[in-house]
Amino acid sequence: MYLVPIAWMYVVGMVVLAEALSVNGTVLGALFTLVFWGLLPLAVVMYVLGTPARRRARREAAASPSAAASPDGGGMAAGDAVAAERKEP
């Protein structure tokens, strides 16, 4: 799954290196290339491709009762944490 993003960042890294070391290139231009050709598009693509997995995890979390959903957070039924109040007649 991560082969294409790694390859894309390799290509972008080579372009950034060529631009930074070129006679007509600048380090600022190389940084813009890294951000706008590499990191930003890669982040958007990875977010979009991760949407089904996040949706599936959210559905599974809603369907199965978890320890965090129980009142005491321990996954066990809540007992008598406070003694009952006695009423005098």
Side-chain angles (χ1 to χ4, degrees), residues 15 17 38 49 68-69 78:
V15 171
L17 188 65
L49 290 178

Side-chain angles (χ1 to χ4, degrees), residues 31-81:
L31 288 175
F32 278 122
T33 301
L34 177 67
V35 171
F36 292 117
W37 277 27
L39 300 177
L40 189 65
L42 187 63
V44 170
V45 167
M46 294 302 289
Y47 179 79
V48 169
L49 290 178
T51 300
R54 285 192 309 275
R55 187 176 297 144
R56 185 173 42 252
R58 191 175 27 217
R59 252 184 287 156
E60 288 173 0
S64 66
S66 65
S70 66
D72 64 352
M76 302 184 88
D80 293 313

